[in-house]
DNA sequence: ACGGTTGTTAGGCC
DNA sequence: AGGCCTAACAACCG
């Protein structure tokens, strides 16, 4: 379920918990829960695929993996891996991985790479790609959380399709304007994704992900698991150029 | 009913 | 050392 847009949806369910006191933390996951007793939650934030609970001097990141779920003031029958309890409510996480970090999120994460945030810096990311990832495939880079935090398989498949670039293209071979285009398109696809979550049409309305045929050419999309990441890709050989 | 998946990490083997 | 691979985790959908 959770690429970056889903994390934003989670975060938007939690404004009422900001500045409230956490009375207790629970769950079977590893967590120094005694540090989360009777302290004020300063704010809920996000970075990429992580939901962040910010306290004075430290914060807790929650990563949902492939199957993670969050329920607010509601429970499943199974035990949560993590839960925050408040005087008048609770947040439950299932199959989520959590970690406590000292300091503030700004000192741990570089928000310029988070495709969901206003701080996202396309120029910075383009420079990063050219200088540090010249030999990498663009298809792999679009899943690399150090470059495109929050981007997942659906976003990358559609971003590559819509910008007309084959995932196996090496970054150093992609013209600068095309690199620019795929970066901008990634952000646009992610915003689209976000709008489609409440409509339940994320997959249905995807451009290429999960589709049998290219909507433009009506020829079959090539389904494969290329690159280092070996995630499923859908490629139109007509639309997407190999550089 | 069962195979596939919006993800990542750990550990083994060259 | 580090790149590449697999297994592991676990829940929901069709």
């Amino acid at each position: 379920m959770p690429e970056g847009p889903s994390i934003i949806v989670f975060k938007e369910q939690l404004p009422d918990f900001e500045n409230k006191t956490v009375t207790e933390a629970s769950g079977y996951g590893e967590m120094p829960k005694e540090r989360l007793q009777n302290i004020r939650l300063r704010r809920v934030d996000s970075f990429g695929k992580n939901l962040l609970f910010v306290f004075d001097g430290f914060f807790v990141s929650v990563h949902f993996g492939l199957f993670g779920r969050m329920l607010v003031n509601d429970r499943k029958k199974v035990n949560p891996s993590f839960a925050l309890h408040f005087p008048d409510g609770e947040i439950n996480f299932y199959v989520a991985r959590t970690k406590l970090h000292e300091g503030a999120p700004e000192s741990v994460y570089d928000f310029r790479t988070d495709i969901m945030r206003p701080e996202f810096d396309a120029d910075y990311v383009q420079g990063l790609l050219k200088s540090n990832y010249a030999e990498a495939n663009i298809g792999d880079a679009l899943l690399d959380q150090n470059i495109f935090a929050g981007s997942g398989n659906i976003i990358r498949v559609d971003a590559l399709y819509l910008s007309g670039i084959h995932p196996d293209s090496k970054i150093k071979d992609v013209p600068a304007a095309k690199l620019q285009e795929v970066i901008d398109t990634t952000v646009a696809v992610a915003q689209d994704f976000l709008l489609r979550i409440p409509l339940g049409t994320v997959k249905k309305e995807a451009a290429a992900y999960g589709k049998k045929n290219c909507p433009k050419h009506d020829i079959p999309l090539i389904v494969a698991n290329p690159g280092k990441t070996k995630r499923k890709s859908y490629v139109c050989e007509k639309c997407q150029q190999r550089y």
Side-chain angles (χ1 to χ4, degrees):
Chain A
M1 186 155 157
E3 299 191 27
S6 302
I7 305 305
I8 301 298
V9 169
F10 289 148
K11 180 176 137 184
E12 284 171 353
Q13 292 175 47
L14 304 174
D16 292 349
F17 291 98
E18 292 186 322
N19 290 310
K20 296 284 163 50
T21 297
V22 172
T23 51
E24 190 194 353
S26 61
Y28 63 77
E30 216 172 298
M31 176 62 50
K33 299 177 189 92
E34 68 284 353
R35 287 190 69 178
L36 299 172
Q37 253 180 17
N38 301 318
I39 55 167
R40 186 170 291 230
L41 172 64
R42 291 301 173 186
R43 64 174 205 282
V44 181
D45 213 331
S46 65
F47 176 76
K49 295 171 186 168
N50 295 280
L51 190 60
L52 310 178
F53 293 90
V54 184
F55 301 92
D56 290 331
F58 69 94
F59 67 97
V60 170
S61 61
V62 180
H63 192 287
F64 293 83
L66 207 48
F67 309 119
R69 293 283 186 280
M70 182 187 84
L71 288 180
V72 178
N73 298 329
D74 196 9
R75 294 183 183 186
K76 295 190 185 221
K77 284 178 186 163
V78 295
N79 290 330
S81 58
F82 183 61
L84 288 171
H85 303 264
F86 298 81
D88 51 0
E90 61 185 32
I91 312 170
N92 293 305
F93 299 97
Y94 299 89
V95 209
R97 291 170 153 273
T98 54
K99 194 175 171 196
L100 190 149
H101 310 255
E102 303 298 338
E106 305 80 65
S107 63
V108 176
Y109 304 121
D110 187 344
F111 291 122
R112 292 176 296 178
T113 62
D114 185 341
I115 63 169
M116 300 312 296
R117 293 188 65 110
E119 295 96 325
F120 182 80
D121 186 336
D123 292 340
Y124 172 72
V125 169
Q126 184 164 10
L128 196 59
L129 286 171
K130 286 178 178 161
S131 60
N132 295 9
Y133 299 90
E135 299 294 328
N137 290 349
I138 187 66
D140 287 333
L142 279 164
L143 287 175
D144 189 328
Q145 300 302 297
N146 295 309
I147 315 172
F148 293 98
S151 172
N153 202 32
I154 296 178
I155 291 174
R156 77 140 177 176
V157 165
D158 274 9
L160 287 167
Y161 171 79
L162 292 171
S163 47
I165 303 172
H166 194 286
D168 293 346
S169 305
K170 258 192 188 183
I171 289 179
K172 67 173 182 189
D173 298 330
V174 179
K178 274 314 226 185
L179 216 45
Q180 181 76 52
E181 186 181 344
V182 73
I183 294 168
D184 294 342
T185 305
T186 300
V187 174
V189 166
Q191 289 303 319
D192 240 47
F193 189 138
L194 178 58
L195 296 178
R196 293 199 308 265
I197 290 174
L199 307 175
T201 58
V202 169
K203 283 187 179 172
K204 213 183 328 182
E205 310 259 308
Y209 181 90
K211 298 287 178 292
K212 205 157 169 41
N213 295 315
C214 169
K216 246 174 94 179
H217 295 104
D218 206 36
I219 56 171
L221 292 171
I222 313 277
V223 180
N225 298 52
K228 290 186 183 179
T229 48
K230 305 271 198 297
R231 303 291 300 279
K232 206 169 195 177
S233 73
Y234 298 79
V235 175
C236 174
E237 292 281 353
K238 251 187 177 175
C239 292
Q240 294 171 257
Q241 186 169 341
R242 261 174 222 271
Y243 293 98

